[in-house]
Amino acid sequence: MSISFTMTEGRPAPIGATFDGDGVNFAIFSENATRMILCLFDHEDNEIVQIEMPERDGDVWHGYISGLRPGQRYGYRAHGPFAPEEGHRFNPAKLLMDPYAKRLTKHPEWNDALMGYPVDHEDKDLIADPRDSAPFMPRSVVEDPSFSWGSDRRLHTPIQQSIIYEAHVKGLTMKRKDVDDPGTFLAMSSDPMLEYLTDLGITAIELLPAQAFLTDHFLHEKGLTNYWGYQTFGFFAPEPKYMAWHQIDEFQQMVARFHSAGIEVIMDVVYNHTCEGSELGPTLSFRGLDNASYYRLMPDNPRYYVNDTGTGNTVNVDHPMVLRMIMDSLRYWVQVMHVDGFRFDLCSTLGRVDEGGFDRGAAFFDAIRQDPILSDVKLIAEPWDIGPGGYQLGAFPPPFMEWNDKYRDTVRRFWRGDASEAPALADRLTGSALQFDHSGRPATASVNLLTAHDGFTLMDTVSYTKKHNEANGENGADGHGENYSDNLGVEGETDDEEVIAARAQRRRNMMATLMLSQGTPMILAGDELGNSQQGNNNAYSQDNEISWIDWEAFDPDFHDFTRMMIHFRKTHPLVRQKLFLHSHERAVDGFEDLFWWRPDGQPMSDGDWQDPELRCIAMELRMASGTPHYAETEMATFVIFNAGDAIEMTVPEAPEGTHWEWRIDTDGDAGEKGEVGSSIDVAAQSVAVLVLGSDAA
C-alpha cells in the first residue's frame, strides 16, 4: 500500500496515535502552542516528513493519515512562545515524545541538545537552544495493543485474603539461572517464578515502576543508572529494557501468566512528577508541548517549578486535560493491559489543590472514585511528599489503601527493645485504628510492611546499625538516617553463630508479627530468603548485584518459616479481618472482640500500658462485631509478643468443649507442643500463637 502522507481532518478523540485498520488518527493536547508539527520517521530513524496538524478543537490538535500501520515511528515539534518568565518553553528544534505513546524505541541519549536552552550561556534557561534533539531522542511508535486474552479476567482477590509481594522487574530474576531472558517481563512470569511465588503463597505482585523511565543526568555522569524507575518518561509505554523482544504484548503475556497462577498484578505508578526535572532539565515531551499546562509553576515567578516532590517539578493535576491524561493512562493499563491495581508514588501530591494544600476531595480522588473501571481495582497510596503538610497517613478517601510507615517503625522499635513501644504495637496489630477507623474504611486500608524498596531489607535491618551507601557516590548523604535497625552485636556479615541465631530469631519475630496483624501485609521480594543489600538503604542507582536478589544465598529455614506464616494467615480468618476489632473501651453494643491480657491472666489496665518497660503483650482475638453470617469464622486465637525475658503466661479460659493448642513458637518447633494447660512458658524474644481445638476431635 502506497502512503502519500496526506493528512486529513481526523478526530480529537481518542488522544494519542490510534490505528483504526485503515490508517492512524493523531491527536495531541496543547493549550498554548501556536502550531503543532507531526514528524514521521523510517525504521532507520531518519526523519522523512514533517506535517502540520491541520485541525484544532479546543486544545486538542488532530489529523488523520490513511495507510499508516502499526510500527510507524513518529514524534512532534511544537511552535509557540519561548518565554520562561511567563511559563512557556516552546522550542520546535526539540523532538517531543507523544505523552500517549504506547511504545518507545529506546531511552533518550544524554546530550546537551536535549536541553531547551544552551547550557553554557550565562542566562541559562532564558535563551532558546537551536540544536535539533532528534538524533538523541527515542521515537514514539504506533501500536495496535489488541491481545488474545482468552478467558483472562481480573482476579478480584478479596483484600483481606491478599499477600502483596513488592518486586523489581529486573532485580527479581537477574540472578536466576533457570529462566530465559532474565530481567524482563517474560522472565518474571516464567514457570520457575510462578511455581516459586504460588508455593510461597503470594496473591499479588507489586511491580516497581514499569512505565518507561529515564536515568537522571547526574547519575549518567557518575556511571550509575536509575534502577528503581521513579522518573517516568511515558505514562502509557512499558519500560523498553524490560521487553526482551521490544513488543508490548510481552507485558500482556506476563499479566496473563500471573493471572493463570492466581496472582494479581499491581503497578507502582508515578504521576506526581516527570523525568524532565527543574527549569534546568531536558525538553523531552511535556515541557515542550505545553509547560504552563502540564506543570505547577511558581505563581510569582513561573520561570520556576513548584517542587513538592523533591524531583524538580510537580505535575499539574488541577488542569483538566492533564488529569484526563492520568485517567486515560490508568484506564489503559486496566482495560488493555489487564492490571489489577496501582500503588501511587507520593500520592499526597496528587491531592494538592490551588496553593498546594492537601484535600481528600481533590479532583484526582473524585475522578477515580466515580470511575466505574478505576474504582473497582486495588488502589494504594504512598501517603506523603515533601511539600507543606505532606504527611497524610490515614487521610485518603476510600477505596484507597495506604502504605503504613508507622507500622514498619513500630515493629522494628518494639523488637529492638525500645521503651514505651508496646501500646503503639497494640495499635498496629489491630489495623492502626487511630489512623484508619473512620469514613467507613476497613482494617485492610493499612498496608503493613516491615521493609520496602527504599530502605533496609529485612536481613539488613537485623545486620546493620547504620546505612552503608558509599556505592551511591553521595558521601553517605542519601537514604534514611534512622532505620530503627540493630546489628545484634556485629556490623554486617559475620560467622558468629550466636549473632546469626539472634538475627534469625528477630526476623522470625518480625515476619510473624506482620502475618498476625490486622491490615494488608506486603513483603519485599527477597526478604523471605535472606537477601541483603550490604547495608545500602537507598539502592535507587544500583543496577547491579547490590540490588539484584541473590538466590544463591537462599535461607531455606526462613523461607519455610515465611511460607508457614503465610499459610497460617490464609487459614485463620481471625488475623485478617476486614472489620476493626474493639476492646472494652470501644466495644460496639457491648460486644467485645479484642482482649488484652497480663501474664498473670488479668486484663491489662491503663497503668500497665503506661509502663515504659512493658515488653510483652498478649491479645485474644474474636470475630469482629458486625461480621456477616456468610463470612469465614473462627472462635478465638491467643497471641503473645514477647520482646523481653522468658515469662510464664496464663492462658485465657477456653470456651466449653474446646481447648488451646500451641500452634506457632518462633523460638522452636511448635508442632510438637500441642494442647496446653492453664499456662505456658514463653521464651525470651519470641512470638507464641495458640488456637482453639475441639475436645471432640
Side-chain angles (χ1 to χ4, degrees):
M1 181 183 296
S2 62
I3 302 174
S4 65
F5 298 120
T6 299
M7 180 172 278
T8 56
E9 179 181 0
R11 293 175 49 80
I15 297 178
T18 306
F19 174 65
D20 65 3
D22 294 320
V24 178
N25 189 81
F26 294 91
I28 189 164
F29 158 73
S30 179
E31 179 179 343
N32 293 295
T34 58
R35 297 171 60 204
M36 187 66 63
I37 307 299
L38 173 68
C39 306
L40 299 182
F41 297 83
D42 63 22
H43 285 281
E44 283 72 47
D45 282 339
N46 299 305
E47 191 167 357
I48 54 178
V49 67
Q50 294 188 0
I51 308 173
E52 185 161 355
M53 302 288 278
E55 294 288 333
R56 177 177 181 175
D57 282 3
D59 299 326
V60 178
W61 305 75
H62 56 91
Y64 181 89
I65 301 179
S66 178
L68 285 188
R69 313 293 296 175
Q72 176 63 54
R73 302 181 180 198
Y74 71 101
Y76 290 98
R77 299 183 188 272
H79 290 257
F82 187 89
E85 292 174 315
E86 299 174 13
H88 302 304
R89 296 177 179 273
F90 293 98
N91 186 338
K94 308 305 170 184
L95 182 69
L96 305 174
M97 181 207 73
D98 179 1
Y100 278 68
K102 306 301 191 296
R103 180 165 69 89
L104 301 173
T105 56
K106 61 178 182 179
H107 299 94
E109 299 173 15
W110 277 109
N111 185 280
D112 287 348
L114 296 178
M115 305 300 181
Y117 62 93
V119 295
D120 296 328
H121 197 282
E122 61 182 0
D123 290 327
K124 286 292 185 183
D125 62 308
L126 295 178
I127 304 296
D129 179 81
R131 288 172 293 182
D132 184 6
S133 66
F136 311 101
M137 280 290 292
R139 311 307 185 228
S140 303
V141 183
V142 175
E143 284 286 343
D144 178 0
S146 58
F147 182 76
S148 298
W149 287 103
S151 61
D152 182 81
R153 298 290 186 275
R154 295 204 310 276
L155 298 177
H156 293 290
T157 303
I159 192 59
Q160 65 269 27
Q161 298 176 15
S162 294
I163 308 291
I164 300 175
Y165 190 80
E166 189 196 28
H168 188 281
V169 175
K170 184 174 183 179
L172 184 65
T173 62
M174 273 304 291
K175 299 189 73 174
R176 292 279 303 210
K177 297 180 179 179
D178 55 351
V179 302
D180 296 328
D181 303 310
T184 65
F185 296 128
L186 295 179
M188 195 176 214
S189 59
S190 61
D191 286 344
M193 292 310 306
L194 294 181
E195 292 168 7
Y196 175 81
L197 294 171
T198 53
D199 177 71
L200 186 60
I202 299 304
T203 70
I205 189 159
E206 183 176 307
L207 309 180
L208 265 70
Q211 295 170 331
F213 58 83
L214 178 72
T215 286
D216 312 68
H217 186 255
F218 80 94
L219 291 176
H220 174 75
E221 291 290 291
K222 293 180 179 179
L224 299 173
T225 62
N226 175 10
Y227 174 66
W228 287 347
Y230 291 94
Q231 290 285 26
T232 303
F233 182 38
F235 294 122
F236 293 76
E239 166 55 30
K241 67 172 172 278
Y242 297 158
M243 296 185 290
W245 307 104
H246 307 290
Q247 300 297 320
I248 64 172
D249 67 359
E250 295 176 46
F251 187 96
Q252 294 165 313
Q253 290 180 53
M254 175 193 71
V255 173
R257 287 182 58 78
F258 274 127
H259 285 177
S260 70
I263 298 173
E264 295 182 307
V265 178
I266 299 172
M267 292 182 69
D268 194 334
V269 289
V270 187
Y271 295 108
N272 59 83
H273 72 277
T274 79
C275 67
E276 290 183 311
S278 72
E279 69 279 359
L280 299 179
T283 296
L284 307 173
S285 180
F286 316 95
R287 174 174 286 136
L289 288 169
D290 196 345
N291 185 65
S293 294
Y294 277 108
Y295 294 114
R296 288 179 56 207
L297 307 178
M298 298 298 293
D300 57 342
N301 190 349
R303 173 185 177 184
Y304 301 106
Y305 297 78
V306 173
N307 187 23
D308 289 337
T309 65
T311 66
N313 68 56
T314 303
V315 170
N316 183 18
V317 184
D318 282 343
H319 195 292
M321 294 300 289
V322 178
L323 179 60
R324 175 179 171 179
M325 177 189 70
I326 295 173
M327 295 299 110
D328 286 347
S329 170
L330 292 170
R331 280 190 291 266
Y332 175 79
W333 290 101
V334 173
Q335 294 180 295
V336 177
M337 298 301 206
H338 281 209
V339 303
D340 303 276
F342 303 96
R343 180 264 191 190
F344 295 91
D345 177 65
L346 301 183
C347 198
S348 293
T349 300
L350 302 177
R352 293 189 179 279
V353 296
D354 299 326
E355 296 298 318
F358 178 84
D359 182 357
R360 69 198 305 265
F364 170 77
F365 299 126
D366 286 349
I368 284 184
R369 295 177 73 191
Q370 64 79 39
D371 189 293
I373 301 298
L374 300 180
S375 62
D376 193 39
V377 302
K378 291 180 170 63
L379 303 168
I380 304 172
E382 182 183 38
W384 51 76
D385 64 13
I386 68 167
Y391 188 79
Q392 295 290 336
L393 180 67
F396 289 77
F400 278 83
M401 300 178 281
E402 301 174 39
W403 270 23
N404 190 345
D405 63 325
K406 288 185 180 293
Y407 181 94
R408 173 197 65 201
D409 295 348
T410 297
V411 172
R412 291 185 182 191
R413 289 193 296 256
F414 177 81
W415 288 112
R416 191 172 66 171
D418 291 14
S420 304
E421 287 298 321
L425 181 67
D427 185 41
R428 306 298 161 230
L429 292 170
T430 52
S432 297
L434 182 63
Q435 283 74 33
F436 296 105
D437 191 5
H438 61 82
S439 307
R441 302 184 76 180
T444 51
S446 173
V447 176
N448 299 331
L449 60 147
L450 303 172
T451 58
H453 65 272
D454 53 344
F456 277 155
T457 67
L458 184 58
M459 176 61 84
D460 288 353
T461 300
V462 301
S463 302
Y464 295 90
T465 299
K466 59 182 181 180
K467 61 185 179 182
H468 295 267
N469 296 357
E470 294 79 9
N472 297 351
E474 299 182 40
N475 298 317
D478 64 303
H480 298 297
E482 178 53 81
N483 299 279
Y484 306 112
S485 58
D486 180 9
N487 64 22
L488 291 159
V490 178
E491 188 74 356
E493 295 184 12
T494 181
D495 56 5
D496 187 307
E497 293 297 331
E498 290 187 4
V499 172
I500 292 172
R503 290 175 177 176
Q505 177 81 358
R506 180 74 56 85
R507 286 189 291 142
R508 289 195 297 272
N509 291 340
M510 295 173 72
M511 186 61 73
T513 304
L514 178 65
M515 291 301 155
L516 296 168
S517 297
Q518 307 297 324
T520 304
M522 185 186 86
I523 300 173
L524 173 63
D527 274 355
E528 77 283 0
L529 54 87
N531 189 61
S532 171
Q533 293 180 169
Q534 293 82 54
N536 192 320
N537 76 346
N538 190 37
Y540 75 104
S541 59
Q542 300 301 321
D543 187 1
N544 52 47
E545 294 191 354
I546 292 176
S547 297
W548 302 340
I549 292 177
D550 185 1
W551 292 93
E552 293 186 355
F554 191 93
D555 180 343
D557 292 338
F558 188 64
H559 170 269
D560 291 350
F561 177 83
T562 301
R563 180 176 57 184
M564 181 269 291
M565 288 304 313
I566 291 174
H567 178 74
F568 182 89
R569 181 179 181 87
K570 286 185 172 184
T571 54
H572 290 272
L574 276 170
V575 299
R576 50 174 176 82
Q577 301 188 59
K578 191 174 181 180
L579 300 177
F580 282 94
L581 302 172
H582 301 88
S583 58
H584 66 278
E585 295 89 350
R586 299 186 297 119
V588 178
D589 297 330
F591 183 88
E592 294 183 57
D593 44 29
L594 174 64
F595 303 87
W596 300 101
W597 299 108
R598 297 190 325 203
D600 63 2
Q602 297 300 307
M604 291 283 288
S605 67
D606 290 342
D608 294 326
W609 286 115
Q610 293 168 9
D611 181 2
E613 298 306 312
L614 179 64
R615 296 289 190 277
C616 180
I617 58 175
M619 66 176 185
E620 181 184 355
L621 305 175
R622 304 289 178 91
M623 295 307 298
S625 173
T627 299
H629 65 86
Y630 51 78
E632 300 174 275
T633 60
E634 187 177 11
M635 290 185 65
T637 298
F638 185 53
V639 188
I640 304 102
F641 301 89
N642 182 26
D645 297 331
I647 194 169
E648 183 181 2
M649 174 65 66
T650 299
V651 176
E653 183 176 352
E656 184 176 354
T658 66
H659 60 269
W660 289 107
E661 295 178 357
W662 196 335
R663 190 63 55 82
I664 295 172
D665 182 0
T666 61
D667 185 59
D669 184 1
E672 298 179 0
K673 296 191 174 182
E675 185 174 347
V676 302
S678 59
S679 67
I680 60 172
D681 293 324
V682 180
Q685 295 283 320
S686 71
V687 176
V689 182
L690 280 63
V691 300
L692 285 176
S694 173
D695 290 342

